[in-house]
Amino acid sequence: MIASTSMSRTNRAISVAALMTIAVAAVIPSVQAQDTAPPQSPAQLVDSLHSAFGDHHSRAVHAKGTLLEGHFTPSPQARTLTMAGVFSAGAVPVTVRFSDFTGIPEIPDNINDANPRGLAIKLRPATGAGMDVVTHSFNGFPVATGDQFGELMHAIGDSGPDAKKPTALDAFLASHPIAKTFLTTQKPPPVSYATLSYFGVNSFKFTDAAGKSKFVRYRFVPVAGIHVLSDAELKTKGPDYLQQEIRSRVKAGPIAFDWYAQIAAPGDVIDDPSVAWSESRKQIKLGTFSIDQVVADQKEADHSTLFLPGNVPDGIAPADPMIAIRHAAYPISFGHRQ
């Protein structure tokens, strides 16, 4: 069952949860001319999430999740794109977190509003700088700027079942067609967290040892293939089926994902995560993740683990303004857990 705390707010959050993403606690404006109000601070954007989902002293978004461990093996091709040490360090230990959407820790796994699912990764090389990666299971983001993100969150919070029609959310979606598309084209609930592709919707600049740079976005492709549930199959699943399934799956053998860098072409939008790049763009394999065990103390590990989207080593740099404010907002959300 969903937590009883702030039930009216929780109910309206559930009804529109698919509008949001894994990967964010907040975003920063990249097109100032589109916004008439002053830019929101990281703290205000975290508050915007709480206005939609409530403050449950957990992650402000993607609150329900499972932590696992394994290692990353880089490909030789990765070193042609970037001099980052994580791609030349041999097998790199990793901690990963699969999650459901919303800031509601008790959200059921078996509802469509728990989409998009999240995958966060912390690479922990024995020497040199590590890095964090934050992704979700939709190729794109509902809005272009941080101020729009805050507006969306407040629109959700103001659009409960008793709100007068048209609601604030109705008005927002009418003027933001990409957000409406995001809402209406989510994948059905998956067979497993291990049977979804995940996308890093923000852009990074990769620089090689010769100083040559390319803009990239990340994607993670499951070696097991993409598999979602039919309506009939979904009816047989309980509210924690994904948490249970991933534990059973990893006991039977490692879970694997191939990590790719999608390469921008001239004219691709670098600083707007709501615009996906064409599937015709070249993809270079960066390596493979092998996830082979569940973290033993889930409660303590989840309480203390912070994934920072701007945590990158030399050879990788944020290229999307959204990354900077996400990086600033995540520690604020982390503080609410403490």
Side-chain angles (χ1 to χ4, degrees):
M1 297 291 293
I2 297 171
S4 59
T5 304
S6 304
M7 277 303 297
S8 61
R9 182 172 291 163
T10 294
N11 287 338
R12 59 182 179 259
I14 287 288
S15 69
V16 294
L19 280 172
M20 296 301 306
T21 166
I22 141 105
V24 302
V27 294
I28 193 169
S30 60
V31 187
Q32 295 287 352
Q34 294 181 3
D35 301 308
T36 57
Q40 296 186 70
S41 70
Q44 288 172 319
L45 287 168
V46 172
D47 288 342
S48 296
L49 279 163
H50 292 153
S51 77
F53 306 129
D55 184 357
H56 303 280
H57 301 289
S58 62
R59 285 173 168 82
V61 70
H62 288 277
K64 182 180 183 180
T66 302
L67 286 156
L68 301 97
E69 293 178 330
H71 66 273
F72 169 67
T73 303
S75 71
Q77 292 81 10
R79 292 187 286 278
T80 69
L81 282 177
T82 174
M83 61 182 179
V86 292
F87 298 110
S88 58
V92 178
V94 299
T95 298
V96 306
R97 185 178 187 269
F98 293 105
S99 61
D100 290 346
F101 178 60
T102 81
I104 303 166
E106 295 83 10
I107 189 169
D109 296 345
N110 58 354
I111 63 173
N112 287 321
D113 294 326
N115 286 316
R117 316 295 166 155
L119 170 61
I121 303 163
K122 185 176 290 292
L123 294 98
R124 302 178 282 103
T127 59
M131 68 180 291
D132 296 346
V133 181
V134 182
T135 70
H136 70 190
S137 60
F138 189 89
N139 188 13
F141 193 72
V143 293
T145 73
D147 287 346
Q148 291 173 2
F149 181 87
E151 290 171 15
L152 174 56
M153 290 295 92
H154 284 295
I156 290 172
D158 292 340
S159 300
D162 298 326
K164 184 179 178 181
K165 293 287 188 177
T167 66
L169 182 60
D170 292 333
F172 186 91
L173 295 181
S175 60
H176 295 80
I178 291 177
K180 186 174 182 179
T181 298
F182 188 94
L183 171 65
T184 58
T185 59
Q186 289 288 332
K187 299 180 182 71
V191 169
S192 170
Y193 286 129
T195 63
L196 283 175
S197 289
Y198 297 88
F199 302 86
V201 298
N202 299 122
S203 307
F204 290 85
K205 183 170 73 172
F206 273 32
T207 303
D208 65 20
K212 184 177 179 180
S213 297
K214 289 183 171 65
F215 293 109
V216 311
R217 286 179 178 172
Y218 303 143
R219 59 179 58 192
F220 295 84
V221 178
V223 172
I226 298 172
H227 303 285
V228 297
L229 296 173
S230 67
D231 290 343
E233 290 170 328
L234 183 58
K235 291 178 181 178
T236 70
K237 302 299 182 182
D240 297 314
Y241 86 94
L242 285 173
Q243 320 299 312
Q244 296 162 359
E245 194 280 342
I246 203 69
R247 288 170 168 80
S248 297
R249 183 177 289 255
V250 78
K251 286 181 180 178
I255 298 164
F257 284 86
D258 290 328
W259 183 9
Y260 290 89
Q262 186 185 30
I263 310 300
D268 283 339
V269 179
I270 304 302
D271 63 353
D272 183 348
S274 71
V275 180
W277 297 346
S278 170
E279 289 299 311
S280 65
R281 297 296 178 258
K282 182 178 181 180
Q283 296 184 45
I284 294 178
K285 185 176 178 179
L286 299 177
T288 300
F289 287 88
S290 180
I291 303 163
D292 55 20
Q293 63 181 332
V294 177
V295 171
D297 189 341
Q298 285 287 314
K299 184 176 181 180
E300 173 57 29
D302 204 41
H303 186 72
S304 60
T305 302
L306 173 62
F307 298 91
L308 288 170
N311 178 30
V312 292
D314 290 344
I316 302 175
D320 183 339
M322 186 178 285
I323 299 168
I325 201 161
R326 287 177 64 191
H327 191 85
Y330 276 46
I332 296 171
S333 175
F334 180 81
H336 283 263
R337 290 188 245 163
Q338 312 308 309

mmCIF file with all atom_site columns, all heavy atoms in Angstrom, residues 18 24 78 80 137 158 171 196 210-211 240 271 289 311 315 321 327:
data_model
loop_
_atom_site.group_PDB
_atom_site.id
_atom_site.type_symbol
_atom_site.label_atom_id
_atom_site.label_alt_id
_atom_site.label_comp_id
_atom_site.label_asym_id
_atom_site.label_entity_id
_atom_site.label_seq_id
_atom_site.pdbx_PDB_ins_code
_atom_site.Cartn_x
_atom_site.Cartn_y
_atom_site.Cartn_z
_atom_site.occupancy
_atom_site.B_iso_or_equiv
_atom_site.pdbx_formal_charge
_atom_site.auth_seq_id
_atom_site.auth_comp_id
_atom_site.auth_asym_id
_atom_site.auth_atom_id
_atom_site.pdbx_PDB_model_num
ATOM 1   N N   . ALA A 1 18  ? 4.149  9.226  -14.242 1.00 0.00 ? 18  ALA A N   1
ATOM 2   C CA  . ALA A 1 18  ? 4.934  8.948  -15.437 1.00 0.00 ? 18  ALA A CA  1
ATOM 3   C C   . ALA A 1 18  ? 5.447  10.206 -16.109 1.00 0.00 ? 18  ALA A C   1
ATOM 4   O O   . ALA A 1 18  ? 6.218  10.123 -17.058 1.00 0.00 ? 18  ALA A O   1
ATOM 5   C CB  . ALA A 1 18  ? 4.101  8.143  -16.441 1.00 0.00 ? 18  ALA A CB  1
ATOM 6   N N   . VAL A 1 24  ? 16.451 12.617 -11.803 1.00 0.00 ? 24  VAL A N   1
ATOM 7   C CA  . VAL A 1 24  ? 16.664 13.992 -11.465 1.00 0.00 ? 24  VAL A CA  1
ATOM 8   C C   . VAL A 1 24  ? 16.149 14.306 -10.082 1.00 0.00 ? 24  VAL A C   1
ATOM 9   O O   . VAL A 1 24  ? 15.172 13.777 -9.616  1.00 0.00 ? 24  VAL A O   1
ATOM 10  C CB  . VAL A 1 24  ? 16.017 14.935 -12.468 1.00 0.00 ? 24  VAL A CB  1
ATOM 11  C CG1 . VAL A 1 24  ? 16.534 14.680 -13.841 1.00 0.00 ? 24  VAL A CG1 1
ATOM 12  C CG2 . VAL A 1 24  ? 14.529 14.842 -12.465 1.00 0.00 ? 24  VAL A CG2 1
ATOM 13  N N   . ALA A 1 78  ? 36.334 2.543  -26.150 1.00 0.00 ? 78  ALA A N   1
ATOM 14  C CA  . ALA A 1 78  ? 36.102 3.656  -25.235 1.00 0.00 ? 78  ALA A CA  1
ATOM 15  C C   . ALA A 1 78  ? 37.308 4.577  -25.166 1.00 0.00 ? 78  ALA A C   1
ATOM 16  O O   . ALA A 1 78  ? 37.169 5.805  -25.077 1.00 0.00 ? 78  ALA A O   1
ATOM 17  C CB  . ALA A 1 78  ? 35.754 3.122  -23.849 1.00 0.00 ? 78  ALA A CB  1
ATOM 18  N N   . THR A 1 80  ? 39.251 5.382  -27.441 1.00 0.00 ? 80  THR A N   1
ATOM 19  C CA  . THR A 1 80  ? 39.367 6.256  -28.610 1.00 0.00 ? 80  THR A CA  1
ATOM 20  C C   . THR A 1 80  ? 38.513 7.511  -28.457 1.00 0.00 ? 80  THR A C   1
ATOM 21  O O   . THR A 1 80  ? 38.690 8.473  -29.203 1.00 0.00 ? 80  THR A O   1
ATOM 22  C CB  . THR A 1 80  ? 38.950 5.517  -29.893 1.00 0.00 ? 80  THR A CB  1
ATOM 23  O OG1 . THR A 1 80  ? 37.535 5.266  -29.864 1.00 0.00 ? 80  THR A OG1 1
ATOM 24  C CG2 . THR A 1 80  ? 39.690 4.194  -30.036 1.00 0.00 ? 80  THR A CG2 1
ATOM 25  N N   . SER A 1 137 ? 14.486 4.905  -17.946 1.00 0.00 ? 137 SER A N   1
ATOM 26  C CA  . SER A 1 137 ? 14.091 3.999  -19.022 1.00 0.00 ? 137 SER A CA  1
ATOM 27  C C   . SER A 1 137 ? 13.259 4.659  -20.116 1.00 0.00 ? 137 SER A C   1
ATOM 28  O O   . SER A 1 137 ? 12.503 3.992  -20.818 1.00 0.00 ? 137 SER A O   1
ATOM 29  C CB  . SER A 1 137 ? 13.316 2.805  -18.436 1.00 0.00 ? 137 SER A CB  1
ATOM 30  O OG  . SER A 1 137 ? 12.140 3.245  -17.766 1.00 0.00 ? 137 SER A OG  1
ATOM 31  N N   . ASP A 1 158 ? -0.898 20.713 -7.515  1.00 0.00 ? 158 ASP A N   1
ATOM 32  C CA  . ASP A 1 158 ? -2.139 21.493 -7.479  1.00 0.00 ? 158 ASP A CA  1
ATOM 33  C C   . ASP A 1 158 ? -3.289 20.817 -8.221  1.00 0.00 ? 158 ASP A C   1
ATOM 34  O O   . ASP A 1 158 ? -4.368 21.419 -8.345  1.00 0.00 ? 158 ASP A O   1
ATOM 35  C CB  . ASP A 1 158 ? -1.898 22.876 -8.095  1.00 0.00 ? 158 ASP A CB  1
ATOM 36  C CG  . ASP A 1 158 ? -0.968 23.739 -7.256  1.00 0.00 ? 158 ASP A CG  1
ATOM 37  O OD1 . ASP A 1 158 ? -0.820 23.450 -6.050  1.00 0.00 ? 158 ASP A OD1 1
ATOM 38  O OD2 . ASP A 1 158 ? -0.387 24.696 -7.816  1.00 0.00 ? 158 ASP A OD2 1
ATOM 39  N N   . ALA A 1 171 ? -3.497 22.424 -18.008 1.00 0.00 ? 171 ALA A N   1
ATOM 40  C CA  . ALA A 1 171 ? -2.994 23.617 -18.686 1.00 0.00 ? 171 ALA A CA  1
ATOM 41  C C   . ALA A 1 171 ? -1.532 23.469 -19.055 1.00 0.00 ? 171 ALA A C   1
ATOM 42  O O   . ALA A 1 171 ? -1.102 23.859 -20.155 1.00 0.00 ? 171 ALA A O   1
ATOM 43  C CB  . ALA A 1 171 ? -3.201 24.846 -17.798 1.00 0.00 ? 171 ALA A CB  1
ATOM 44  N N   . LEU A 1 196 ? 15.194 -3.885 -19.433 1.00 0.00 ? 196 LEU A N   1
ATOM 45  C CA  . LEU A 1 196 ? 14.891 -2.567 -19.968 1.00 0.00 ? 196 LEU A CA  1
ATOM 46  C C   . LEU A 1 196 ? 16.177 -1.909 -20.455 1.00 0.00 ? 196 LEU A C   1
ATOM 47  O O   . LEU A 1 196 ? 17.251 -2.147 -19.895 1.00 0.00 ? 196 LEU A O   1
ATOM 48  C CB  . LEU A 1 196 ? 14.288 -1.662 -18.890 1.00 0.00 ? 196 LEU A CB  1
ATOM 49  C CG  . LEU A 1 196 ? 12.823 -1.851 -18.503 1.00 0.00 ? 196 LEU A CG  1
ATOM 50  C CD1 . LEU A 1 196 ? 12.493 -0.937 -17.330 1.00 0.00 ? 196 LEU A CD1 1
ATOM 51  C CD2 . LEU A 1 196 ? 11.902 -1.557 -19.676 1.00 0.00 ? 196 LEU A CD2 1
ATOM 52  N N   . ALA A 1 210 ? 44.412 13.164 -27.347 1.00 0.00 ? 210 ALA A N   1
ATOM 53  C CA  . ALA A 1 210 ? 44.920 14.147 -28.304 1.00 0.00 ? 210 ALA A CA  1
ATOM 54  C C   . ALA A 1 210 ? 44.171 15.474 -28.228 1.00 0.00 ? 210 ALA A C   1
ATOM 55  O O   . ALA A 1 210 ? 44.483 16.407 -28.977 1.00 0.00 ? 210 ALA A O   1
ATOM 56  C CB  . ALA A 1 210 ? 44.829 13.579 -29.720 1.00 0.00 ? 210 ALA A CB  1
ATOM 57  N N   . GLY A 1 211 ? 43.180 15.580 -27.334 1.00 0.00 ? 211 GLY A N   1
ATOM 58  C CA  . GLY A 1 211 ? 42.431 16.807 -27.180 1.00 0.00 ? 211 GLY A CA  1
ATOM 59  C C   . GLY A 1 211 ? 41.223 16.924 -28.090 1.00 0.00 ? 211 GLY A C   1
ATOM 60  O O   . GLY A 1 211 ? 40.561 17.964 -28.112 1.00 0.00 ? 211 GLY A O   1
ATOM 61  N N   . ASP A 1 240 ? 5.700  -5.586 -5.042  1.00 0.00 ? 240 ASP A N   1
ATOM 62  C CA  . ASP A 1 240 ? 7.158  -5.573 -4.917  1.00 0.00 ? 240 ASP A CA  1
ATOM 63  C C   . ASP A 1 240 ? 7.817  -6.583 -5.859  1.00 0.00 ? 240 ASP A C   1
ATOM 64  O O   . ASP A 1 240 ? 8.933  -7.046 -5.606  1.00 0.00 ? 240 ASP A O   1
ATOM 65  C CB  . ASP A 1 240 ? 7.563  -5.881 -3.475  1.00 0.00 ? 240 ASP A CB  1
ATOM 66  C CG  . ASP A 1 240 ? 7.062  -4.841 -2.491  1.00 0.00 ? 240 ASP A CG  1
ATOM 67  O OD1 . ASP A 1 240 ? 7.219  -3.631 -2.783  1.00 0.00 ? 240 ASP A OD1 1
ATOM 68  O OD2 . ASP A 1 240 ? 6.501  -5.220 -1.449  1.00 0.00 ? 240 ASP A OD2 1
ATOM 69  N N   . ASP A 1 271 ? 21.921 20.908 -25.312 1.00 0.00 ? 271 ASP A N   1
ATOM 70  C CA  . ASP A 1 271 ? 21.548 21.405 -23.983 1.00 0.00 ? 271 ASP A CA  1
ATOM 71  C C   . ASP A 1 271 ? 20.059 21.318 -23.686 1.00 0.00 ? 271 ASP A C   1
ATOM 72  O O   . ASP A 1 271 ? 19.566 21.976 -22.772 1.00 0.00 ? 271 ASP A O   1
ATOM 73  C CB  . ASP A 1 271 ? 22.028 22.844 -23.814 1.00 0.00 ? 271 ASP A CB  1
ATOM 74  C CG  . ASP A 1 271 ? 21.379 23.819 -24.794 1.00 0.00 ? 271 ASP A CG  1
ATOM 75  O OD1 . ASP A 1 271 ? 20.653 23.347 -25.705 1.00 0.00 ? 271 ASP A OD1 1
ATOM 76  O OD2 . ASP A 1 271 ? 21.584 25.041 -24.653 1.00 0.00 ? 271 ASP A OD2 1
ATOM 77  N N   . PHE A 1 289 ? 28.748 -4.055 -18.197 1.00 0.00 ? 289 PHE A N   1
ATOM 78  C CA  . PHE A 1 289 ? 28.552 -4.224 -16.762 1.00 0.00 ? 289 PHE A CA  1
ATOM 79  C C   . PHE A 1 289 ? 28.120 -5.650 -16.479 1.00 0.00 ? 289 PHE A C   1
ATOM 80  O O   . PHE A 1 289 ? 27.258 -6.197 -17.171 1.00 0.00 ? 289 PHE A O   1
ATOM 81  C CB  . PHE A 1 289 ? 27.481 -3.266 -16.240 1.00 0.00 ? 289 PHE A CB  1
ATOM 82  C CG  . PHE A 1 289 ? 27.926 -1.844 -16.161 1.00 0.00 ? 289 PHE A CG  1
ATOM 83  C CD1 . PHE A 1 289 ? 27.797 -1.000 -17.246 1.00 0.00 ? 289 PHE A CD1 1
ATOM 84  C CD2 . PHE A 1 289 ? 28.482 -1.346 -14.999 1.00 0.00 ? 289 PHE A CD2 1
ATOM 85  C CE1 . PHE A 1 289 ? 28.212 0.313  -17.185 1.00 0.00 ? 289 PHE A CE1 1
ATOM 86  C CE2 . PHE A 1 289 ? 28.910 -0.036 -14.920 1.00 0.00 ? 289 PHE A CE2 1
ATOM 87  C CZ  . PHE A 1 289 ? 28.776 0.799  -16.015 1.00 0.00 ? 289 PHE A CZ  1
ATOM 88  N N   . ASN A 1 311 ? 29.505 14.040 -11.143 1.00 0.00 ? 311 ASN A N   1
ATOM 89  C CA  . ASN A 1 311 ? 30.748 13.427 -10.679 1.00 0.00 ? 311 ASN A CA  1
ATOM 90  C C   . ASN A 1 311 ? 31.396 12.676 -11.842 1.00 0.00 ? 311 ASN A C   1
ATOM 91  O O   . ASN A 1 311 ? 31.056 11.525 -12.118 1.00 0.00 ? 311 ASN A O   1
ATOM 92  C CB  . ASN A 1 311 ? 30.462 12.476 -9.517  1.00 0.00 ? 311 ASN A CB  1
ATOM 93  C CG  . ASN A 1 311 ? 31.716 11.777 -9.024  1.00 0.00 ? 311 ASN A CG  1
ATOM 94  O OD1 . ASN A 1 311 ? 32.822 12.324 -9.099  1.00 0.00 ? 311 ASN A OD1 1
ATOM 95  N ND2 . ASN A 1 311 ? 31.553 10.566 -8.515  1.00 0.00 ? 311 ASN A ND2 1
ATOM 96  N N   . GLY A 1 315 ? 38.552 14.062 -18.804 1.00 0.00 ? 315 GLY A N   1
ATOM 97  C CA  . GLY A 1 315 ? 38.227 13.413 -20.063 1.00 0.00 ? 315 GLY A CA  1
ATOM 98  C C   . GLY A 1 315 ? 36.739 13.364 -20.328 1.00 0.00 ? 315 GLY A C   1
ATOM 99  O O   . GLY A 1 315 ? 36.302 13.038 -21.432 1.00 0.00 ? 315 GLY A O   1
ATOM 100 N N   . PRO A 1 321 ? 23.423 22.244 -19.240 1.00 0.00 ? 321 PRO A N   1
ATOM 101 C CA  . PRO A 1 321 ? 23.284 23.003 -17.984 1.00 0.00 ? 321 PRO A CA  1
ATOM 102 C C   . PRO A 1 321 ? 22.471 22.285 -16.923 1.00 0.00 ? 321 PRO A C   1
ATOM 103 O O   . PRO A 1 321 ? 22.645 22.551 -15.729 1.00 0.00 ? 321 PRO A O   1
ATOM 104 C CB  . PRO A 1 321 ? 22.590 24.297 -18.433 1.00 0.00 ? 321 PRO A CB  1
ATOM 105 C CG  . PRO A 1 321 ? 22.909 24.420 -19.883 1.00 0.00 ? 321 PRO A CG  1
ATOM 106 C CD  . PRO A 1 321 ? 22.996 23.019 -20.414 1.00 0.00 ? 321 PRO A CD  1
ATOM 107 N N   . HIS A 1 327 ? 23.371 18.248 -9.941  1.00 0.00 ? 327 HIS A N   1
ATOM 108 C CA  . HIS A 1 327 ? 24.501 17.954 -9.070  1.00 0.00 ? 327 HIS A CA  1
ATOM 109 C C   . HIS A 1 327 ? 24.385 18.734 -7.751  1.00 0.00 ? 327 HIS A C   1
ATOM 110 O O   . HIS A 1 327 ? 24.757 18.231 -6.689  1.00 0.00 ? 327 HIS A O   1
ATOM 111 C CB  . HIS A 1 327 ? 25.805 18.314 -9.789  1.00 0.00 ? 327 HIS A CB  1
ATOM 112 C CG  . HIS A 1 327 ? 27.031 17.832 -9.104  1.00 0.00 ? 327 HIS A CG  1
ATOM 113 N ND1 . HIS A 1 327 ? 27.536 16.558 -9.269  1.00 0.00 ? 327 HIS A ND1 1
ATOM 114 C CD2 . HIS A 1 327 ? 27.884 18.445 -8.238  1.00 0.00 ? 327 HIS A CD2 1
ATOM 115 C CE1 . HIS A 1 327 ? 28.630 16.402 -8.550  1.00 0.00 ? 327 HIS A CE1 1
ATOM 116 N NE2 . HIS A 1 327 ? 28.865 17.539 -7.909  1.00 0.00 ? 327 HIS A NE2 1
#
